[in-house]
Amino acid sequence: MSIDATTQLVTLLGHPVEHSFSPRLHNAAFRAQGVNAAYVATPVRPAALDAAVAGLRALQFLGANVTTPHKEAVLPLLDAVTDRARAVGAVNTIVRDEDTDRLRGDNTDIEGFLQPLDEAAGGALNGASMLVFGAGGAARAVVYGLLTHYDPDRLTIVARRPEQAEGLAADLAEHAPSDALRVSSFEEATLSVRTSRLIVNATPLGMAPDRRGQTPWPNPVDFSADHVVYDLVYTPEETRLLRDAAAEGATPIGGLDMLVEQAAAAYRQWTDRDMPRDAVYEALRSGKQ
């Protein structure tokens, strides 16, 4: 990659950011298409978020991604926010208007989550029963996407902290069919797991290195060929949850595809180009920066 006086910059705002794959995948895409841009990850402590967002304007960045812990806190610092980001209450992508320097926030996690699911299951999930493990930021995007895209007859949110799940359900109730949203503890979720067509892991359980080998549901006998099991964890590509589900005949979907698709949606907004996915997957799997 050649850096010169016309190179435009994109950054990741978060804390910490050292683990992020975003520089690897976006720089691979820029390189493959000859886009004169570079992507860097910048650790930003919460107290410095205002200054960091102002810096995007001042330094005329193409835009930015936003990750933990800033996805919610960044909303009031932007000039405009898309309807889907407002509904979820979180922004993961910022785009700077080159004429006005106005900053617009979006949430491409929703699009990134739905794309692989549509390809794997398509219309078979319309009106189906669904279950989501987790009630954090990732789960918010997942639940909103499922409610607005598939109109499920039942969507159960399973969380270790019931108050967090209740809050998520209350926040998104206006997007749900009548009585579709339910809340459950892990201890009481067995029947919901068995009777849900789609199971989504939106927790970090299974993520390498610290949680590798862990799973949100250690009872694989509750899975069957009727299940689609989607794990948002992307490293390793095949988690224990996905191995267990596939062994019972379920359709597994890994988190690497969501990672790439949410990035592709942001890349399109920054460059007006479709991301070269083959080059991105090659870079991710080879470890090439």
Side-chain angles (χ1 to χ4, degrees):
M1 181 181 297
S2 177
I3 305 292
D4 60 31
T6 64
T7 301
Q8 294 182 287
L9 294 177
V10 184
T11 191
L12 173 66
L13 307 177
H15 197 273
V17 293
E18 292 81 4
H19 64 286
S20 176
F21 284 8
S22 292
R24 185 184 303 172
L25 69 88
H26 281 292
N27 285 323
F30 292 148
R31 185 166 51 244
Q33 293 187 328
V35 176
N36 191 5
Y39 190 110
V40 295
T42 47
V44 176
R45 291 185 173 84
L49 183 60
D50 290 29
V53 172
L56 298 177
R57 293 190 182 91
L59 299 175
Q60 298 190 349
F61 275 51
L62 271 177
N65 283 136
V66 186
T67 190
T68 305
H70 304 319
K71 286 186 174 184
E72 297 177 11
V74 78
L75 266 79
L77 305 179
L78 304 173
D79 301 301
V81 176
T82 62
D83 290 342
R84 62 185 181 182
R86 185 75 63 189
V88 173
V91 162
N92 80 323
T93 298
I94 299 173
V95 182
R96 182 186 64 84
D97 185 286
E98 63 180 345
D99 296 322
T100 65
D101 286 338
R102 286 173 57 84
L103 301 178
R104 174 175 55 82
D106 191 17
N107 191 308
T108 65
D109 285 337
I110 301 161
E111 185 176 346
F113 167 72
L114 290 174
Q115 179 67 26
L117 192 54
D118 272 346
E119 290 183 4
L125 293 176
N126 291 333
S129 294
M130 303 175 175
L131 180 145
V132 176
F133 292 122
R140 296 183 75 87
V142 166
V143 171
Y144 175 81
L146 294 176
L147 290 174
T148 57
H149 193 66
Y150 291 115
D151 195 26
D153 70 343
R154 186 187 77 234
L155 198 164
T156 304
I157 304 168
V158 181
R160 301 199 183 282
R161 290 191 292 152
E163 68 279 5
Q164 187 180 24
E166 294 284 1
L168 172 54
D171 288 346
L172 296 180
E174 67 180 285
H175 303 286
S178 178
D179 298 325
L181 279 174
R182 315 285 177 83
V183 169
S184 173
S185 66
F186 278 84
E187 292 75 17
E188 298 174 338
T190 299
L191 181 59
S192 294
V193 169
R194 290 175 178 172
T195 58
S196 292
R197 180 79 174 84
L198 172 68
I199 307 291
V200 181
N201 177 32
T203 79
L205 293 174
M207 177 75 82
D210 296 339
R211 292 171 173 163
R212 181 190 289 270
Q214 297 179 10
T215 176
W217 198 253
N219 307 310
V221 294
D222 294 325
F223 300 133
S224 72
D226 292 331
H227 283 99
V228 176
V229 179
Y230 193 160
D231 198 338
L232 304 195
V233 170
Y234 55 83
T235 177
E237 279 195 63
E238 185 182 52
T239 61
R240 175 183 166 188
L241 176 67
L242 295 181
R243 287 195 304 273
D244 288 348
E248 300 299 326
T251 299
I253 306 174
L256 191 67
D257 291 334
M258 176 182 171
L259 176 72
V260 172
E261 291 303 326
Q262 63 81 26
Y267 185 87
R268 192 178 305 114
Q269 294 187 49
W270 297 324
T271 67
D272 291 324
R273 297 172 182 238
D274 288 332
M275 175 175 273
R277 289 170 176 78
D278 289 346
V280 167
Y281 276 107
E282 181 183 357
L284 288 173
R285 287 170 173 150
S286 69
K288 183 179 179 181
Q289 294 290 336

